[in-house]
């Protein structure tokens, strides 16, 4: 990935020929960059109204700093705050490019899985392998922990996939603290950024670095980068794209801060198609598949939650009791559901179908209770001769409109507390 030369909020000029194909008079139009795109282009908001896409070679502006002559990285002392796989590429980048990583702050070791085996976070495992000092405080505002961070004399704090930092902590580094967020702020402030973008059917999301403030996800933006969402991408696919691009954008953000580039208020970016919206923490009830919706919506809903926390439904097969089934992957068919009721599951022409509000979806991968993830053909082989059932529509109806649908069975809602699609990013 090529790091953009220009950044969000920067004043630029673009040729008038971009606005009118027949006009090539050498006139330049004034504008402001809303965001760079991974393919090397930029979305520019024009001063006289309207928008245009411009390639990097078509933009006329002075770069804010020379990326070929970065500030010496080993002179920038960093405290890193992070936990899982989304944070790991950024920490590795900081170490490999020579930043002085003074310490890593990560979550406490916790029991995981059915065996309740105590495991370290991915960030802790890497930090220990590199001999970096690791802190795992239970309380981020304890006097003892704050003294430890003060004594590090850090230049900058970097937060990726971590808890909410108290003001007494994020103001300790001399340059403040920056956060890597998995959306194009001010869109999708909150926890379920990736899931929300896919579920809404967006073809694009991105990453943003911003300065921490007291209010969550509202700080001034240092840089951002738009990343495409392919038609068949699930949450994991997008997660991988964003964490790789995010590491590069953190390096760029640190250099821009070192060159005294000022943050851009998020309010300056609000326009016709960039509006403030929120991506709340997801619970199990939010993952119930709404079979009454159109097939395109259900398709996006399922891939938005795959593989974690996973979309699910309560399925009753012929002669069987109702059971919770996770669905990880489907395929659009464009076949009208005709006489099949929404939520009806059946096997036909060597495919497993479930009817939605308008069309049929072909189920490709699913998981039964206490079973491994399986393909549709493996599922059929287990129910040969009786591969027909109905999904409980009342569950999704109860979530969308509690007053007009039956209550959710508590047995189907086991573990609703704390099941999230993504760990909260500051």
């Amino acid at each position: 990935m090529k790091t953009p030369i220009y950044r969000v909020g920067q004043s630029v000029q673009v040729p008038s020929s971009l606005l009118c194909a027949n006009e090539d008079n050498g006139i330049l139009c004034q504008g402001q960059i809303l965001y760079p795109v991974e393919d090397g282009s930029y979305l520019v908001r024009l001063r006289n109204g309207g928008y245009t896409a411009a390639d990097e070679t078509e933009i006329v502006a002075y770069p804010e700093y020379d990326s070929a002559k970065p500030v010496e990285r080993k002179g920038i002392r960093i405290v890193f705050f992070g936990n899982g796989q989304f944070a790991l590429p950024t920490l590795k980048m900081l170490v490999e490019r020579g930043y002085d990583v003074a310490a890593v702050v990560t979550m406490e070791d916790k029991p995981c899985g059915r065996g309740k085996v105590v495991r370290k976070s991915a960030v802790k495992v890497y930090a220990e392998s590199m001999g970096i000092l690791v802190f795992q405080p239970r309380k981020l505002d304890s006097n003892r922990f704050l003294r430890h961070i003060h004594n590090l004399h850090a230049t900058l704090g970097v937060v990726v996939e971590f808890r909410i930092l108290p003001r007494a902590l994020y103001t300790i580094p001399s340059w403040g603290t920056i956060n890597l967020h998995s959306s194009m702020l001010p869109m999708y402030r909150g926890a379920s950024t990736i899931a929300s973008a896919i579920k809404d059917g967006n073809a694009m999301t991105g990453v943003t670095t911003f300065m921490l403030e007291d209010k969550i996800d509202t700080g001034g933006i240092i840089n951002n980068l738009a990343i495409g969402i392919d038609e068949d991408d699930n949450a994991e696919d997008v997660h991988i794209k964003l964490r790789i691009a995010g590491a590069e954008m953190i390096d760029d953000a640190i250099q821009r801060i070192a060159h005294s580039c000022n943050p851009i208020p998020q309010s300056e970016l609000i326009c016709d198609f960039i509006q403030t919206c929120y991506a709340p923490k997801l619970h199990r009830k939010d993952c119930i598949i709404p079979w009454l919706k159109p097939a395109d919506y259900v398709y996006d809903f399922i891939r938005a939650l795959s593989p974690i926390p996973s979309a699910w439904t309560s399925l009753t097969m012929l002669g069987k009791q109702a059971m919770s089934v996770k669905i990880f992957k489907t395929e659009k068919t464009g076949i009208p559901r005709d006489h099949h009721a929404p939520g009806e599951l059946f096997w036909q022409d060597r495919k497993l179908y479930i009817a939605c509000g308008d069309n049929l979806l072909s189920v490709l991968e699913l998981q039964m209770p206490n079973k491994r993830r399986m393909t549709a053909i493996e599922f059929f082989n287990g129910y040969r001769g009786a591969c027909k059932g109905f999904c409980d529509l009342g569950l999704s109806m109860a979530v969308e409109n509690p007053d007009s649908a039956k209550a959710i069975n508590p047995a189907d809602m086991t573990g609703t507390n704390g099941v999230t699609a993504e760990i909260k990013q500051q």
Side-chain angles (χ1 to χ4, degrees):
M1 186 201 90
K2 182 179 180 294
T3 303
I5 294 176
Y6 309 107
R7 68 156 179 150
V8 58
Q10 192 167 347
S11 295
V12 297
Q13 295 178 319
V14 295
S16 59
S17 58
L18 295 178
L19 312 181
C20 181
N22 298 323
E23 184 176 339
D24 189 12
N25 52 18
I27 295 176
L28 296 175
C29 300
Q30 302 289 329
Q32 181 189 43
I33 292 175
L34 289 176
Y35 55 77
V37 185
E38 60 180 332
D39 63 5
S41 64
Y42 295 78
L43 180 65
V44 179
R45 176 168 53 189
L46 301 174
R47 182 174 295 179
N48 59 355
Y51 308 88
T52 187
D55 188 76
E56 197 163 81
T57 58
E58 297 171 317
I59 288 179
V60 178
Y62 288 106
E64 292 184 319
Y65 80 100
D66 186 354
S67 58
K69 299 177 181 178
V71 171
E72 190 174 20
R73 292 180 172 91
K74 68 180 181 180
I76 301 176
R77 192 166 174 81
I78 288 174
V79 176
F80 183 82
F81 301 84
N83 289 323
Q85 293 298 327
F86 195 85
L88 193 55
T90 297
L91 177 58
K92 287 183 175 180
M93 178 279 298
L94 294 171
V95 172
E96 292 170 1
R97 295 191 184 174
Y99 288 100
D100 180 10
V101 181
V104 164
V105 183
T106 190
M107 64 183 180
E108 297 178 282
D109 301 344
K110 293 185 177 181
C112 301
R114 293 182 180 177
K116 299 299 180 183
V117 178
V118 177
R119 293 178 181 170
K120 304 174 183 179
S121 72
V123 164
K124 181 181 178 181
V125 171
Y126 177 76
E128 289 183 336
S129 72
M130 301 305 296
I132 301 172
L133 179 64
V134 175
F135 292 104
Q136 295 176 280
R138 182 165 297 179
K139 294 184 177 181
L140 295 176
D141 58 355
S142 71
N143 291 331
R144 183 182 180 190
F145 173 63
L146 293 175
R147 281 197 302 270
H148 281 308
I149 301 302
H150 268 291
N151 293 337
L152 294 174
H153 303 291
T155 311
L156 182 69
V158 175
V159 180
V160 186
E161 193 180 38
F162 197 64
R163 294 149 57 187
I164 297 174
L165 269 59
R167 181 178 182 82
L169 177 57
Y170 73 73
T171 56
I172 291 176
S174 57
W175 291 358
T177 300
I178 61 173
N179 185 94
L180 175 64
H181 188 77
S182 53
S183 80
M184 299 292 286
L185 289 173
M187 298 177 66
Y188 299 118
R189 292 172 177 165
S192 59
T193 53
I194 294 174
S196 296
I198 299 175
K199 189 163 58 174
D200 289 347
N202 293 345
M204 188 173 289
T205 183
V207 290
T208 304
T209 67
F210 66 95
M211 303 298 302
L212 286 194
E213 293 182 355
D214 290 343
K215 291 185 178 179
I216 298 174
D217 299 338
T218 60
I221 294 174
I222 303 300
N223 62 16
N224 60 11
L225 180 69
I227 307 290
I229 302 176
D230 294 333
E231 172 71 17
D232 59 349
D233 277 347
N234 64 15
E236 183 176 37
D237 298 326
V238 177
H239 193 278
I240 292 170
K241 291 180 182 181
L242 298 191
R243 73 195 191 206
I244 293 172
E248 295 297 324
M249 298 309 288
I250 283 286
D251 186 34
D252 178 68
I254 295 172
Q255 289 298 318
R256 291 186 186 278
I257 293 171
H259 284 85
S260 302
C261 298
N262 294 321
I264 306 300
Q266 294 187 26
S267 58
E268 290 190 10
L269 303 183
I270 295 175
C271 59
D272 296 338
F273 52 89
I274 298 179
Q275 297 290 325
T276 300
C277 59
Y278 297 90
K281 181 179 179 179
L282 294 177
H283 297 275
R284 181 169 164 81
K285 65 180 178 63
D286 302 313
C287 304
I288 300 170
I289 301 172
W291 298 113
L292 289 169
K293 297 281 190 180
D296 285 356
Y297 179 91
V298 177
Y299 173 81
D300 290 337
F301 185 94
I302 290 172
R303 67 190 181 104
L305 302 173
S306 179
I308 295 173
S310 71
W312 69 281
T313 189
S314 179
L315 174 66
T316 302
M317 300 291 290
L318 291 179
K320 303 287 184 179
Q321 291 185 335
M323 54 187 168
S324 296
V325 177
K326 296 179 180 179
I327 298 182
F328 298 100
K329 190 174 183 179
T330 61
E331 183 178 54
K332 297 179 183 180
T333 67
I335 302 173
R337 67 176 175 86
D338 292 334
H339 63 279
H340 295 287
E344 181 180 346
L345 176 144
F346 62 97
W347 180 265
Q348 181 177 295
D349 299 329
R350 297 187 59 78
K351 286 189 176 183
L352 183 65
Y353 293 104
I354 298 185
C356 300
D358 53 0
N359 296 331
L360 302 180
L361 276 184
S362 173
V363 178
L364 302 181
E365 295 181 17
L366 66 166
Q367 185 175 15
M368 312 300 285
N370 303 315
K371 301 290 184 180
R372 64 174 178 82
R373 185 168 168 172
M374 66 183 75
T375 63
I377 188 67
E378 290 172 328
F379 174 82
F380 170 74
N381 289 337
Y383 287 91
R384 190 180 297 273
C387 194
K388 184 175 179 63
F390 293 89
C391 301
D392 189 344
L393 302 181
L395 289 173
S396 58
M397 290 171 63
V399 172
E400 293 184 9
N401 189 357
D403 296 330
S404 63
K406 71 177 185 180
I408 297 176
N409 184 345
D412 291 327
M413 297 303 297
T414 303
T416 56
N417 291 327
V419 180
T420 62
E422 297 150 55
I423 297 174
K424 176 70 183 78
Q425 295 173 41
Q426 173 70 23

